[in-house]
């Protein structure tokens, strides 16, 4: 088994290779505006580090978010296309689950919160690193204060809003290494992973830019 | 010929997810998935809606193109993709797919220019482009006059619209006349039964001191709308056919006059017309008439190749391969304002490698 895991749902562009028992190579770079440029070179670097070629991969694991859309799609489109070209399955994992797994907080409950921009966070509550208690959601921190009060919280969203998350902890961004380890564990246990489709959680902004193609109602 | 480059092209600059496959100058497949209906209620292309649709449509559209062409992905000689100009988020979906596909198949990647692709697509219809070629690109998104000396390396912008695109004017006038959407075909149809000389609408930017090759359709649009409103205000019937014919005549008169003048000024004896508005029958007829009178050969591809599609991207990609242009690097970015003077985005030259921290390993797949 050789899993290639990648995630672009947080400011990190992160890639890892997992052979079924451990992570064999990984790369993480934080640059929220260059997911598109950084991802493929990172895949190439991680493969080179492991001395492997992409055609050795038996499955692709991708973080499905939630996360800022433009970056999120880079990872999903890349994973989809690798799956097509290599003829291997593509597994989706909730990005927040990757962060929860990485947190190492064995005695829950705790909260994972990432930055959703527009003064909101993507978040979910966990019983332990492998057990999510709520669906991923997007909210203003002040609006969920009561639901998260008293729990430790991991992720950049927690760090950004100390009033709501006074006990904010590392890591800030997800790592593909955790995502891969979590996916490998679930696959070994015969668990179903998610479809590799994006968790947007918001409707698209219906704003038409000026001087762009005009489409009038039929 | 079997030794001509077999290239797959991906286009996502606006609302069409296009995947085309060509062998040299021969079209093998032209698969397009459009999200146009999802944008209609907003009155224009919503970038986020387009980007979401591209992500969902990409893999099925690649599959469809391969089936249509009857070729295997491993036989491709390269993957081409629109790197710009266009909607940033939409472009990024196509660029991400193209990179992953090229990398996984061990093929070179060519990030190419959308406007240059609109010109190059004519090779699939009429064979190799003459050099130089004058090109008039007219659609809902662009109106420009370009001189292509070498479609892979030397495309010069002579003029462009300073306000609305030509296709936009057709859509807006159709809306004022309550003719529905899209405006181009319906205006064309009504105009056939109307008198193009019935009403004299203004010809934008045709004064002696105006920019010779630039276009303006905003003043015309306003003038036509006012004329219609005045009729309605006076309680008179609007002669829809005559208005359509006279409006259309004003647009195509300026387009063809400026294009022919550019050919004469630059000593170019070929004119190609591309973009969605190239489907307009009056534009084609008047261009033909004026080109013949001026001794210019006119080339206009079939309508499906004039609108945005992946085949045009593949056509330019195949030309890049045929002319040994350097492939793009794996850190190719989507550039929403890629200038037309850059027909493709070559990888970094070795002399500049020190600038790039994210250089990829030389040891590529299947090497
Ligand atoms: Zn176009």
């Amino acid at each position: 088994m050789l899993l290639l895991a990648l995630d672009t749902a947080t400011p990190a562009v992160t890639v890892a290779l997992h052979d079924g028992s451990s992570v064999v190579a990984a790369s993480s770079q934080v640059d929220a505006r260059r997911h598109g440029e950084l991802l493929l070179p990172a895949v190439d670097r991680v493969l080179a580090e492991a001395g492997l070629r992409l055609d050795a991969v038996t499955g692709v694991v991708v973080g499905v978010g939630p996360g800022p859309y433009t970056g999120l799609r880079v990872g999903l489109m890349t994973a989809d296309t690798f799956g097509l070209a290599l003829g291997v399955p593509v597994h989706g994992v909730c990005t927040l689950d990757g962060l929860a797994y990485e947190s190492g907080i064995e005695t829950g409950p705790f909260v994972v919160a990432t930055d959703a921009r527009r003064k909101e966070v993507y978040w979910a509550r966990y019983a332990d690193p492998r057990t999510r208690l709520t669906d991923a959601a997007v909210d203003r921190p002040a609006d969920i204060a009561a639901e998260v009060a008293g729990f430790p919280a991991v992720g950049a969203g927690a760090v950004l809003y100390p009033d709501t998350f006074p006990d904010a902890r590392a890591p800030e961004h997800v790592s593909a290494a955790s995502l891969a380890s979590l996916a490998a564990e679930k696959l070994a246990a015969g668990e179903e992973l998610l479809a590799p489709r994006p968790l947007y959680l918001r409707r698209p902004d219906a704003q038409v830019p000026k001087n762009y193609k005009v489409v009038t109602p039929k | 010929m079997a030794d001509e480059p077999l290239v797959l092209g991906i286009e996502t600059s606006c609302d069409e997810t296009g995947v085309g496959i060509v062998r040299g100058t021969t079209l093998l497949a032209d698969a397009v998935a459009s999200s146009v209906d999802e944008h209609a209620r907003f009155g224009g292309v919503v970038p986020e809606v387009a980007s979401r649709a591209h992500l969902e449509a990409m893999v099925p559209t690649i599959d469809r193109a391969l089936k249509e062409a009857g070729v295997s992905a491993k036989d491709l000689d390269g993957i081409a993709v629109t790197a710009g100009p266009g909607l940033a988020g939409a472009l990024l979906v196509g660029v991400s797919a193209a990179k992953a596909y090229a990398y996984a198949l061990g093929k070179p990647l060519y990030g190419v220019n959308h406007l240059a692709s609109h010109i190059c697509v004519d090779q699939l219809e009429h064979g190799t482009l003459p050099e130089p070629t004058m090109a008039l690109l007219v659609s809902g998104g662009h109106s420009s006059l370009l001189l292509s000396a070498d479609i892979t390396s030397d495309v010069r912008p002579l003029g462009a619209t300073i306000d609305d695109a030509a296709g936009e004017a057709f859509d807006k006038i159709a809306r004022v006349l309550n003719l529905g959407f899209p405006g181009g075909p319906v205006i064309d149809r009504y105009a056939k039964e109307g008198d193009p000389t019935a009403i004299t609408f203004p010809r934008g930017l045709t004064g002696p001191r105006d920019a010779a090759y630039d276009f303006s359709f905003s003043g015309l649009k306003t003038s036509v709308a006012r004329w219609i409103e005045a009729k309605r205000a006076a309680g008179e019937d609007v002669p829809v056919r005559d208005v359509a014919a006279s409006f259309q005549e004003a647009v195509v008169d300026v387009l063809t006059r400026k294009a022919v003048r550019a050919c004469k000024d630059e000593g170019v004896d070929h004119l190609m017309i591309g973009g969605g508005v190239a489907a307009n029958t009056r534009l084609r007829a008047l261009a033909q008439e004026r080109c013949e009178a001026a001794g210019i050969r006119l080339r206009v591809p079939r309508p499906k190749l004039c609108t945005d599609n992946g085949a045009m991207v593949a056509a330019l990609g195949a030309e890049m391969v045929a002319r040994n242009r350097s492939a793009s690097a794996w850190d190719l970015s989507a550039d929403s304002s890629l200038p037309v003077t850059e027909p493709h985005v070559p990888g970094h030259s070795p002399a500049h490698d020190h600038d790039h921290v994210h250089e990829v390993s030389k040891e590529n797949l299947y090497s």
Side-chain angles (χ1 to χ4, degrees), chain A residues 29 34-45 47-48 53-55 69-71 73-82 84-86 197-198 200-209 211-218, chain B residues 13-16 36-37 39-40 42-49 51-52 55-56 58-59 62-63 86-87 89 92-93 96-97 99-101 103-105 140 163 168 171-172 175 181 330-333 358 360-361 365-367:
Chain A
Q29 295 156 281
R34 301 214 306 140
H35 290 105
E37 285 118 280
L38 299 178
L39 182 58
L40 227 291
V43 169
D44 188 61
R45 214 169 39 241
L47 284 165
R53 300 189 324 188
L54 188 63
D55 62 354
Y69 323 139
T70 306
R73 276 189 289 267
V74 170
L76 283 158
M77 191 70 267
T78 301
D80 268 1
T81 315
F82 278 161
L84 169 75
L86 302 171
R197 300 318 326 145
Y200 290 122
L201 305 189
R202 288 190 192 117
R203 290 182 172 284
D205 284 334
Q207 266 179 10
V208 178
N211 296 324
Y212 224 82
K213 191 168 159 187
V214 171
V215 180
T216 354
K218 283 181 185 176
Chain B
S13 69
C14 193
D15 59 337
E16 328 277 1
V36 65
D37 293 341
H39 305 282
F42 303 110
V45 173
V46 181
E48 178 61 21
V49 171
S51 299
R52 290 184 182 192
L55 175 64
E56 299 310 316
M58 185 58 66
V59 165
I62 293 175
D63 262 335
L87 297 168
L92 187 55
V93 177
S96 299
K99 278 196 223 182
Y101 206 49
Y103 186 84
L105 296 169
D163 39 55
E168 262 184 278
D171 286 339
K172 283 176 185 167
R175 186 158 47 180
F181 172 83
W330 296 121
D331 67 353
L332 172 72
S333 51
H358 310 295
V360 296
S361 64
L365 280 175
Y366 309 101
S367 50

Side-chain angles (χ1 to χ4, degrees), chain B residues 11 13 114-115 118 139 142 275 306-308 312:
Chain B
E11 151 66 30
S13 69
H114 180 79
L115 297 176
H118 265 304
S139 73
H142 24 77
C306 286
T307 48
D308 291 350
M312 68 190 212

Side-chain angles (χ1 to χ4, degrees), chain A residues 99-208:
Chain A
L99 269 159
Y101 186 84
E102 198 170 340
S103 73
I105 304 178
E106 292 298 339
T107 48
F110 66 96
V111 172
V112 173
T114 60
D115 182 12
R117 300 179 186 164
R118 304 182 210 172
K119 298 181 179 159
E120 293 184 321
V121 292
Y122 295 119
W123 71 285
R125 209 166 59 226
Y126 289 80
D128 60 66
R130 291 170 187 78
T131 315
R132 180 153 39 81
L133 298 170
T134 61
D135 282 341
V138 59
D139 286 293
R140 284 180 171 257
D143 296 344
I144 55 167
E147 290 167 83
V148 303
F151 302 139
V154 300
V159 176
L160 267 174
Y161 302 101
D163 288 352
T164 304
F165 305 103
D167 184 6
R169 303 183 186 181
E172 283 197 36
H173 310 308
V174 74
S175 77
S178 309
L179 215 63
S181 302
L182 176 60
E185 213 181 279
K186 286 182 180 240
L187 288 171
E191 273 182 61
E192 234 0 79
L193 297 184
L194 300 174
R197 300 318 326 145
L199 282 178
Y200 290 122
L201 305 189
R202 288 190 192 117
R203 290 182 172 284
D205 284 334
Q207 266 179 10
V208 178

